[in-house]
């Protein structure tokens, strides 16, 4: 084999393949690049494919990297090739790349009150595509570049879970019980993925809970969103007061329930009072400091005078 720049294109391609086997990916990319610059080369198409796969490694969370690889391989028919110790076929990689790009696009959508529902639907759409295009097969790029074994079906469960969680966030402000229903679906998919889903269960319990505000008497649902528990001392004769069947205090009678309006009004007023006294304290500290500095300056002046008159 020739050495240095005397290698022809096919030799550079073979060098790149060998470097991939040794997981020296950056060096491999340089060899494939040099291969494309050579006029004498019968493996330029394969070199472009290898570079495209290596580009995914460098841009593992970029939908565009997967779509570029899918586009390149779509025109290669039933091409099969080796990437290190991994056997790849063009149709398989095209399907995985398209499904992964759709997943990443959905995951990277912003999460806010205006997008929770659309993001949730996008995530569930990505889950369905991952299930249909990859199914029970292992995801090649997860194993190669994330060192994680992951099937399309398992990843689909995670995407469904996060999709329902996003839908829940979009509903909790207007309909906490509907949000709890979405979280129940998310919990089921979390379990399928292999997680406990305990965080979802905790939110389901809170979102499903209803109360009567101890202060204003209004009924509401969604603990932690539309009402809050506030520590309080409740005398026995007040524990059964009120006509509403919904609780206005917790089971231990050491906290009352306050709707968001009452809770925030009290909190904001408390903050205002605290800020007032904080400002007064800081002003008093500043006054005392000024007087203290003046006293120190006067004392230092007297000491300097006494030293001069000795």
């Amino acid at each position: 084999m020739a050495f240095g720049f005397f290698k022809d294109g096919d030799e550079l391609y073979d060098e790149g393949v060998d470097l991939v086997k040794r997981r020296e990916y950056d060096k491999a990319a340089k060899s494939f690049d040099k291969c494309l610059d050579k006029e004498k080369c019968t493996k330029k198409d394969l070199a472009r494919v290898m570079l495209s796969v290596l580009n995914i490694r460098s841009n593992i969370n970029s939908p565009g990297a997967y779509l570029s690889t899918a586009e390149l391989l779509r025109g290669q028919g039933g091409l099969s090739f080796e990437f290190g110790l991994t056997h790849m076929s063009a149709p398989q990689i095209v399907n995985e790349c398209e499904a992964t790009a759709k997943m990443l696009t959905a995951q990277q959508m912003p999460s806010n009150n205006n997008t929770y529902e659309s993001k949730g639907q996008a995530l569930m759409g990505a889950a369905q595509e991952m299930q249909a295009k990859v199914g029970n097969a292992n995801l090649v790029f997860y194993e190669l570049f994330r060192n994680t074994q992951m099937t399309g079906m398992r990843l689909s469960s995670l995407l469904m879970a996060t999709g329902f969680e996003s839908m829940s966030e979009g509903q909790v402000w207007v309909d906490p019980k509907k949000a709890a229903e979405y979280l129940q679906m998310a919990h089921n998919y979390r379990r399928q993925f292999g997680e406990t889903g305990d965080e979802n269960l905790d939110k389901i319990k809170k979102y499903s809970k209803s109360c009567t505000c101890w202060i204003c008497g209004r009924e509401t649902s969604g603990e932690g969103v539309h009402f809050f528990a506030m520590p309080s001392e409740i005398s026995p004769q007040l524990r059964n007061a009120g006509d509403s069947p919904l609780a206005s205090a917790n089971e231990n009678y050491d906290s009352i329930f306050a709707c968001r309006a009452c809770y925030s009004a009290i909190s904001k007023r408390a903050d205002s009072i605290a800020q007032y006294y904080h400002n007064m304290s800081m002003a008093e500290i500043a006054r005392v400091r000024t007087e203290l500095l003046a006293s120190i300056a006067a004392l230092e002046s007297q000491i300097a005078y006494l030293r001069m008159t000795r």
Side-chain angles (χ1 to χ4, degrees):
M1 180 180 290
F3 296 92
F5 64 77
F6 295 109
K7 293 178 181 178
D8 64 29
D10 289 348
E11 288 174 326
L12 287 166
Y13 174 83
D14 292 338
E15 178 183 79
V17 168
D18 187 57
L19 288 167
V20 167
K21 289 178 180 177
R22 301 205 300 261
R23 303 181 73 86
E24 297 182 45
Y25 296 130
D26 292 335
K27 291 181 179 179
K30 291 179 181 178
S31 294
F32 293 131
D33 270 329
K34 291 177 182 178
C35 167
L36 295 178
D37 291 335
K38 297 289 184 177
E39 290 185 10
K40 183 182 177 183
C41 182
T42 63
K43 300 179 179 179
K44 286 190 176 184
D45 286 345
L46 284 172
R48 292 188 184 93
V49 169
M50 299 296 272
L51 282 170
S52 187
V53 171
L54 288 169
N55 184 51
I56 288 177
R57 171 183 171 268
S58 302
N59 300 277
I60 194 69
N61 293 316
S62 169
Y66 294 90
L67 290 175
S68 294
T69 300
E71 183 64 26
L72 178 64
L73 288 174
R74 197 176 288 113
Q76 300 295 325
L79 172 70
S80 292
F81 60 99
E82 304 294 325
F83 185 89
L85 300 178
T86 302
H87 178 76
M88 297 187 179
S89 70
Q92 170 201 15
I93 298 303
V94 168
N95 283 337
E96 179 175 331
C97 285
E98 289 177 342
T100 303
K102 188 166 185 175
M103 173 189 75
L104 291 171
T105 300
Q107 289 175 331
Q108 292 167 14
M109 290 175 63
S111 296
N112 56 55
N113 290 333
N114 296 322
T115 62
Y116 281 132
E117 185 173 353
S118 58
K119 182 171 184 176
Q121 292 173 346
L123 285 164
M124 288 188 281
Q128 292 167 356
E129 182 155 336
M130 186 66 68
Q131 182 176 345
K133 291 190 172 182
V134 181
N136 289 315
N138 283 322
L139 289 153
V140 172
F141 295 119
Y142 260 73
E143 189 167 353
L144 268 177
F145 302 139
R146 298 179 191 265
N147 296 318
T148 302
Q149 282 198 338
M150 179 73 68
T151 67
M153 291 296 290
R154 186 162 179 260
L155 186 54
S156 174
S157 295
L158 179 62
L159 291 170
M160 289 296 291
T162 54
F164 276 115
E165 286 161 0
S166 185
M167 296 286 284
S168 175
E169 286 298 308
Q171 281 291 317
V172 68
W173 188 251
V174 294
D175 190 345
K177 292 190 175 181
K178 184 67 175 178
E181 292 176 11
Y182 283 139
L183 283 179
Q184 183 61 60
M185 298 297 294
H187 170 71
N188 295 338
Y189 282 109
R190 287 276 177 192
R191 295 294 300 273
Q192 290 181 28
F193 182 70
E195 297 179 346
T196 62
D198 287 346
E199 184 177 345
N200 285 336
L201 288 178
D202 183 56
K203 286 184 177 180
I204 290 169
K205 183 178 179 181
K206 289 183 176 181
Y207 292 174
S208 301
K209 194 171 184 178
S210 299
C211 81
T212 297
C213 176
W214 182 284
I215 299 169
C216 71
R218 288 181 172 85
E219 296 180 355
T220 189
S221 300
E223 184 176 8
V225 179
H226 298 294
F227 74 90
F228 304 86
M230 299 179 66
S232 182
E233 296 180 7
I234 306 173
S235 59
Q237 57 183 309
L238 293 177
R239 293 180 180 180
N240 296 319
D243 299 326
S244 174
L246 299 177
S248 55
N250 66 355
E251 295 177 354
N252 296 324
Y253 292 102
D254 56 12
S255 292
I256 63 171
F257 294 139
C259 71
R260 191 179 191 91
C262 293
Y263 179 86
S264 60
I266 294 170
S267 298
K268 290 179 185 297
R269 181 55 182 156
D271 290 344
S272 176
I273 293 170
Q275 186 64 47
Y276 171 76
Y277 284 109
H278 170 77
N279 292 340
M280 286 185 61
S281 299
M282 295 304 293
E284 182 63 15
I285 290 171
R287 184 188 67 78
V288 172
R289 181 175 181 275
T290 300
E291 291 181 357
L292 182 60
L293 290 174
S295 297
I296 292 171
L299 183 59
E300 289 176 340
S301 178
Q302 290 177 11
I303 292 171
Y305 174 76
L306 290 173
R307 286 175 176 169
M308 292 174 61
T309 57
R310 282 183 179 180

